[in-house]
């Protein structure tokens, strides 16, 4: 053979293709993923420059689902129970920013743009305020207690005697 060690293609049956439908679908998905990433990066760049996503999607010239504008308060979002990633990401965004979220199953990307945040009005006697304050106080107390324990262990150079700990635990549990 003149091409020893080089890949070669031979027809098993003249004129017939034996490529499976799954291989064709995978190739199409990969091509689509490359195109989706390129389009998503264009949207991200335009969003970072302050561009309107709806107008930028129209410029792409690709058939995409329409842009959905949302005007929801935190309570409305939280009332939905399981929060989808496209809504959850808003809680970590600054106004005027755009982010991309990959869609499960390598199906493309979702561009999310947060234009503004409108602070809500909380009444001084709102029961939710007292509940949140209590939760934050408990969390702060636990964190301070844990920090104090770590500092004491470091300062005093605490050493654990595992066999004694097991003996005491067994005695307390009613063992001998």
């Amino acid at each position: 053979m003149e091409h020893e060690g080089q890949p070669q293609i031979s027809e098993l049956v003249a004129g017939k293709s034996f490529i499976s439908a799954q291989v064709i679908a995978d190739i199409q998905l990969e091509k689509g993923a490359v195109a989706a990433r390129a389009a998503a990066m264009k949207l991200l760049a335009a969003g970072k420059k302050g561009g309107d996503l709806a107008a930028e999607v129209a410029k792409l010239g690709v058939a995409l689902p329409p842009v959905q504008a949302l005007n929801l308060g935190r309570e409305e979002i939280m009332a939905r129970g399981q929060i989808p990633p496209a809504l959850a990401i808003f809680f970590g965004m600054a106004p005027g920013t755009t982010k991309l979220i990959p869609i499960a199953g390598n199906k493309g990307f979702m561009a999310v743009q947060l234009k503004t945040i409108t602070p809500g009005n909380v009444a001084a006697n709102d029961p939710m305020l007292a509940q949140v304050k209590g939760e934050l106080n408990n969390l702060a107390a636990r964190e301070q207690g844990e920090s104090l324990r770590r500092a004491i262990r470091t300062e005093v150079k605490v050493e654990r005697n595992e066999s004694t700990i097991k003996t005491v635990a067994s005695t307390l549990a009613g063992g001998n």
Side-chain angles (χ1 to χ4, degrees):
M1 293 199 131
E2 57 189 74
H3 299 288
E4 188 72 29
Q6 297 295 316
Q8 299 176 19
I9 298 177
S10 308
E11 288 185 316
L12 296 174
V13 178
K16 289 200 173 187
S17 174
F18 293 94
I19 299 174
S20 75
Q22 183 61 49
V23 171
I24 292 170
D26 289 345
I27 291 170
Q28 290 173 335
L29 271 175
E30 182 60 31
K31 286 180 182 179
V34 170
R37 182 156 206 46
M41 296 311 286
K42 286 180 185 177
L43 288 176
L44 182 61
K48 286 185 176 187
K49 293 178 184 174
D52 180 59
L53 283 185
E56 297 301 326
V57 166
K59 287 181 190 176
L60 290 175
V62 179
L64 295 172
V67 173
Q68 297 176 6
L70 297 175
N71 186 8
L72 298 172
R74 182 181 293 256
E75 294 83 17
E76 293 170 286
I77 293 172
M78 299 304 279
R80 293 178 176 214
Q82 182 70 21
I83 302 172
L87 289 179
I89 196 169
F90 282 121
F91 293 108
M93 293 177 66
T97 59
T98 303
K99 292 189 178 185
L100 295 178
I101 303 172
I103 298 173
N106 199 24
K107 303 284 187 202
F109 297 88
M110 186 179 306
V112 178
Q113 185 177 53
L114 179 61
K115 291 185 178 181
T116 60
I117 296 175
T118 306
N121 295 323
V122 179
N125 61 351
D126 189 330
M128 181 71 88
L129 189 61
Q131 177 186 351
V132 170
K133 184 178 178 183
E135 289 172 4
L136 290 175
N137 284 339
N138 289 339
L139 179 63
R142 280 195 307 268
E143 288 177 355
Q144 287 176 342
E146 185 58 36
S147 293
L148 179 61
R149 279 189 288 283
R150 281 193 305 269
I152 291 171
R153 284 185 180 146
T154 302
E155 184 67 29
V156 177
K157 295 180 175 69
V158 171
E159 294 180 17
R160 294 176 56 95
N161 185 331
E162 293 300 327
S163 64
T164 303
I165 292 172
K166 285 181 183 177
T167 303
V168 170
S170 174
T171 302
L172 292 174
N176 291 329

